Amino acid sequence: MYRGLILGALVMNTAACSATANDVAAQSSQQHTEQTCQSEGFIKSLKLANGASVVVEEGRLEPRSIGSVTVKLYSDLYSGEFIGAVSFPRDGGITQAILVENGDDKQQLSVTMSSAGSGNYQSNQQICLTKNSIKLC
């Protein structure tokens, strides 16, 4: 009985994020679209000026206060044309992921994390992107 309720709750949360992704997919590919869903942890996708997309997410089964960050690069997110990814440890939750540089040939993403607890210390990781590569800066 409880398994059915838990499974139903998970499906409802997933459906809420999926509906947002489908809405974004319907928009013109020329627009710089962005979506965020934080019901079960941080996940955000950003459309780059060169047409590629990047997805930033916390580890799905990890605690919100510590774990990992994965940044994935897709030439076309909605058809699943995956290029590469980087992962790095985090102490705290992701508070924001923003493009600090978004040119046609080179992009730079900044991921900011804030530690749990009273200190609320912030850390930042830069990710360097091109149309065909992704690496930690």
Side-chain angles (χ1 to χ4, degrees):
M1 169 93 178
Y2 292 110
R3 286 184 184 170
L5 291 174
I6 292 171
L7 182 59
L10 289 173
V11 169
M12 294 295 283
N13 281 339
T14 303
C17 293
S18 297
T20 304
N22 291 335
D23 292 343
V24 171
Q27 294 179 0
S28 168
S29 63
Q30 297 299 321
Q31 295 177 339
H32 297 280
T33 57
E34 178 179 309
Q35 72 184 66
T36 305
C37 184
Q38 292 190 1
S39 62
E40 293 296 324
F42 186 95
I43 185 168
K44 182 176 188 175
S45 70
L46 297 158
K47 186 83 168 178
L48 305 177
N50 63 14
S53 294
V54 66
V55 175
V56 181
E57 65 181 320
E58 293 175 347
R60 289 284 146 240
L61 299 176
E62 300 171 346
R64 293 292 311 271
S65 61
I66 194 165
S68 65
V69 176
T70 302
V71 182
K72 301 174 189 174
L73 178 63
Y74 294 86
S75 61
D76 185 350
L77 176 61
Y78 301 105
S79 67
E81 294 180 39
F82 178 74
I83 294 174
V86 294
S87 291
F88 54 92
R90 66 178 166 82
D91 181 10
I94 300 173
T95 55
Q96 70 176 358
I98 59 170
L99 290 166
V100 292
E101 185 176 344
N102 193 15
D104 286 336
D105 59 340
K106 182 173 114 177
Q107 296 80 29
Q108 188 170 355
L109 176 73
S110 175
V111 179
T112 305
M113 293 142 296
S114 183
S115 67
S118 60
N120 201 26
Y121 301 105
Q122 291 193 347
S123 60
N124 193 16
Q125 176 66 57
Q126 303 293 319
I127 294 93
C128 292
L129 306 151
T130 66
K131 188 167 184 124
N132 298 315
S133 70
I134 182 169
K135 65 180 181 177
L136 298 176
C137 297

